[in-house]
Amino acid sequence: MSTTLPVPVAVPVAAPAPPPADGRARTYLVRTLGCQMNVHDSEHMAGMLEQAGYVPAAPADAAAEDVDVLVINTCAVRENAADKLYGNLGRLAGTKRSRPGGMQIAVGGCLAQKDRAGIVERAPWVDVVFGTHNLDVLPALLERSRHNAQAQVEIAESLQVFPSTLPTRRESVYAGWVSISVGCNNTCTFCIVPHLRGKERDRRPGEILAEVEALVATGAIEVTLLGQNVNSYGVGFGDRHAFGKLLRAVGAVPGLERVRFTSPHPAAFTDDVIDAMASTPTVMPQLHMPLQSGSDRVLRAMRRSYRAERFLGILDRVRAAIPDAAITSDVIVGFPGETDEDFEDTLRVVEAARFCSAFTFQYSQRPGTPAADLPDQLPKAVVQERYERLVALQERISAEDNAAQVGRTVDVLVAQGEGRKDGATARISGRARDNRLVHLALPAGLDPADAPRPGDLVTVEVTRSAPHHLVADSALTPGGRFRVRRTRAGDAWQARTEGRDEHAHGGQGGGCGPVAGATPGGPVVLGLPGLGRPTG
């Protein structure tokens, strides 16, 4: 096993993966654990592999994990993420032994950055471990491990290549992620992300706009801007209003219809961002604003540099400017030292905030974070009881909020794979402008050729609701609202599924042409210029 700290600046172009003995192309599968940043990182990993000559596994082979290379992109935010990784690796040991012709297993992402060589020590059948700062080395490490018949562990201490300069195999042709920054400058005591992702590094606005324009050129009509603290964008070049300016600029890209962003930090959230959201028609009326706790005392212990009153004030100003905004949040229960009074404060703020939904978490003690060493770690039973009360409150609020949507007309961007029961209910699914999940019925007798495709927009009326979704069966009523707008995003999705995609790109230089070995219907691979390390 070799452990090295790489120092490359340019994006390396890996040698083509040698084919197996039977002459076929090597197949791969990327499994993702964690947040949207990890999902987007997985797109980069897939792009690097396809540039090196690997091909995505067929759906049946992917489901059976019958692949030549399996990459697990890990999360380290919560304790169960580590349990999930090592549970998966234990199961894969038998899969690897039983697979004729062999199999390589690679582990990347936040837990790889944290555990490093410890992953191979616990699971010696792992072939490659790489971190959050050097995604670009994956193909080279796979080849080195194969050649040397030895595990390769390579963890960089700081960002080597900005991920957005890497080839990217987009999972969606109609919507895409765009990173505007990486890393985090905050010091929240419960969070290990700054240790694993490093200090914030902002991309230059021109690079971001170029990537958005390239996405639109391939058919996308929606983009989501990503950052650990997306609204602190501009810290690298000293402009505290940079994020609002960026929202306006991205929202003005011709052909782009929906702009989203995640996740902002309340401490850096300015009225200029609210104005940009309200005045830019393509910026969607949706905001994910992490609360974490409603207790000022706990917020101080968390090193969250805002207080409950400021947080609620932000929501009031957003709703005054954007009355239909759907606001979601994150809330942690059971932080060390949290008292009954602190928890009651959280319940009061959640009630006042009226989140349409919230990700609720039980505090997870993560080694390496300041909170892990705090006194007064709470008993599991206490945390569980509080968690259940918080979930019950938020479920009620979500149900009430969604019930208020019944009778409204919504424009739904049809998605692929959003509705797990669509086959049984004869519905299709997608997201409204405010990002609510909508399951909608199709009119009886609709010609399949006229059916909405992923990427198309459908106007319907909400007929009923549940806490986590809306149902729009207006098409089943004679004269009920149902209108399809076929979009170029839908055209691009159809072209991809039919193997007619003319916008597949691969490689560092952004040259056009199909990716070597790409399968018809595979996601778009977008190659961007290799700009080296950002200067701003």
Side-chain angles (χ1 to χ4, degrees):
M1 178 178 67
S2 73
T3 303
T4 59
L5 300 179
V7 290
V9 173
V11 180
V13 179
D22 58 10
R24 61 179 175 79
R26 288 188 179 272
T27 61
Y28 78 90
L29 172 66
V30 180
R31 295 276 191 214
T32 308
L33 310 175
C35 65
Q36 296 96 330
M37 298 290 285
N38 273 22
V39 172
H40 192 33
D41 282 350
S42 290
E43 292 183 330
H44 296 313
M45 295 173 194
M48 292 294 297
L49 290 171
E50 293 200 6
Q51 182 191 58
Y54 296 84
V55 298
D61 292 337
E65 295 177 333
D66 183 12
V67 296
D68 295 300
V69 171
L70 193 151
V71 183
I72 303 178
N73 186 13
T74 63
C75 173
V77 172
R78 304 193 61 75
E79 185 177 6
N80 63 358
D83 296 339
K84 185 178 294 186
L85 169 66
Y86 289 110
N88 283 336
L89 290 179
R91 176 179 49 77
L92 286 170
T95 304
K96 181 174 181 177
R97 284 193 302 268
S98 64
R99 188 176 188 275
M103 174 186 191
Q104 286 187 294
I105 299 172
V107 179
C110 290
L111 198 63
Q113 186 78 23
K114 173 179 172 291
D115 287 4
R116 305 184 176 220
I119 291 175
V120 175
E121 292 169 3
R122 289 184 61 173
W125 51 92
V126 170
D127 300 279
V128 167
V129 178
F130 62 105
T132 58
H133 298 310
N134 59 331
L135 306 183
D136 55 293
V137 302
L138 173 59
L141 292 181
L142 287 167
E143 180 54 30
R144 193 188 308 164
S145 174
R146 185 183 301 113
H147 180 271
N148 296 344
Q150 190 176 44
Q152 301 295 306
V153 178
E154 193 162 292
I155 305 294
E157 300 301 330
S158 60
L159 193 67
Q160 303 300 294
V161 176
F162 207 99
S164 294
T165 66
L166 299 173
T168 306
R169 183 181 190 266
R170 299 281 179 177
E171 286 301 315
S172 169
V173 71
Y174 48 85
W177 312 100
V178 175
S179 291
I180 68 171
S181 63
V182 295
C184 178
N185 291 344
N186 291 318
T187 58
C188 302
T189 55
F190 58 82
C191 185
I192 199 168
V193 168
H195 174 65
L196 302 178
R197 292 277 183 176
K199 292 293 186 181
E200 182 174 327
R201 297 278 294 276
D202 293 335
R203 295 177 71 191
R204 304 303 296 182
E207 296 174 16
I208 296 167
L209 288 170
E211 183 174 354
V212 172
E213 289 166 354
L215 269 172
V216 171
T218 65
I221 61 173
E222 176 179 301
V223 298
T224 301
L225 305 179
L226 294 179
Q228 297 296 154
N229 291 302
V230 70
N231 60 311
S232 65
Y233 175 76
V235 66
F237 40 89
D239 184 353
R240 67 187 301 266
H241 295 297
F243 184 62
K245 296 174 184 175
L246 183 66
L247 277 180
R248 294 181 178 92
V250 171
V253 170
L256 188 61
E257 300 192 29
R258 293 186 172 192
V259 179
R260 306 187 191 277
F261 59 89
T262 194
S263 290
H265 192 292
F269 202 81
T270 63
D271 287 347
D272 178 63
V273 173
I274 299 174
D275 180 71
M277 294 174 64
S279 63
T280 310
T282 49
V283 176
M284 294 295 94
Q286 171 216 350
L287 178 65
H288 184 76
M289 182 66 75
L291 169 64
Q292 308 304 5
S293 175
S295 161
D296 288 351
R297 194 186 69 81
V298 172
L299 288 172
R300 281 191 292 272
M302 289 179 166
R303 293 186 194 156
R304 300 285 289 179
S305 47
Y306 56 89
R307 300 296 174 257
E309 183 177 356
R310 170 175 166 76
F311 182 92
L312 290 173
I314 292 172
L315 304 196
D316 288 343
R317 294 195 298 278
V318 169
R319 287 177 170 135
I322 313 166
D324 294 332
I327 301 176
T328 58
S329 193
D330 300 328
V331 187
I332 297 173
V333 172
F335 187 80
E338 180 187 75
T339 65
D340 288 339
E341 291 76 15
D342 293 326
F343 178 64
E344 291 296 333
D345 285 344
T346 293
L347 294 181
R348 281 192 288 271
V349 173
V350 169
E351 183 77 70
R354 304 292 298 177
F355 302 121
C356 69
S357 67
F359 296 97
T360 52
F361 304 95
Q362 298 184 39
Y363 169 73
S364 181
Q365 191 173 7
R366 305 303 290 137
T369 63
D373 300 322
L374 289 176
D376 300 324
Q377 302 284 331
L378 300 186
K380 170 65 176 175
V382 172
V383 178
Q384 182 67 33
E385 188 272 338
R386 291 178 183 173
Y387 175 75
E388 291 172 1
R389 288 175 60 195
L390 174 63
V391 169
L393 170 62
Q394 183 56 54
E395 287 284 294
R396 174 179 63 78
I397 294 171
S398 296
E400 293 169 353
D401 192 64
N402 273 358
Q405 307 301 310
V406 174
R408 292 189 60 187
T409 297
V410 294
D411 294 325
V412 180
L413 176 60
V414 179
Q416 184 173 17
E418 282 272 27
R420 289 174 293 177
K421 298 180 181 178
D422 282 353
T425 62
R427 294 188 179 98
I428 59 175
S429 299
R431 297 281 171 174
R433 286 173 49 85
D434 61 8
N435 209 39
R436 295 178 205 262
L437 178 62
V438 182
H439 305 300
L440 60 98
L442 301 176
L446 181 67
D447 188 327
D450 296 327
R453 308 156 299 178
D456 286 338
L457 285 156
V458 185
T459 302
V460 288
E461 182 180 315
V462 178
T463 54
R464 59 188 175 90
S465 67
H468 304 293
H469 66 266
L470 305 175
V471 175
D473 283 348
S474 53
L476 302 180
T477 303
R481 189 176 296 276
F482 180 85
R483 182 173 62 84
V484 177
R485 177 159 70 85
R486 296 174 78 82
T487 68
R488 55 185 187 77
D491 294 340
W493 178 88
Q494 185 171 346
R496 189 184 71 181
T497 58
E498 295 175 353
R500 299 183 290 104
D501 185 9
E502 298 178 357
H503 297 288
H505 299 269
Q508 179 182 350
C512 297
V515 178
T519 55
V524 171
V525 176
L526 181 69
L528 294 172
L531 301 176
R533 299 174 71 171
T535 59

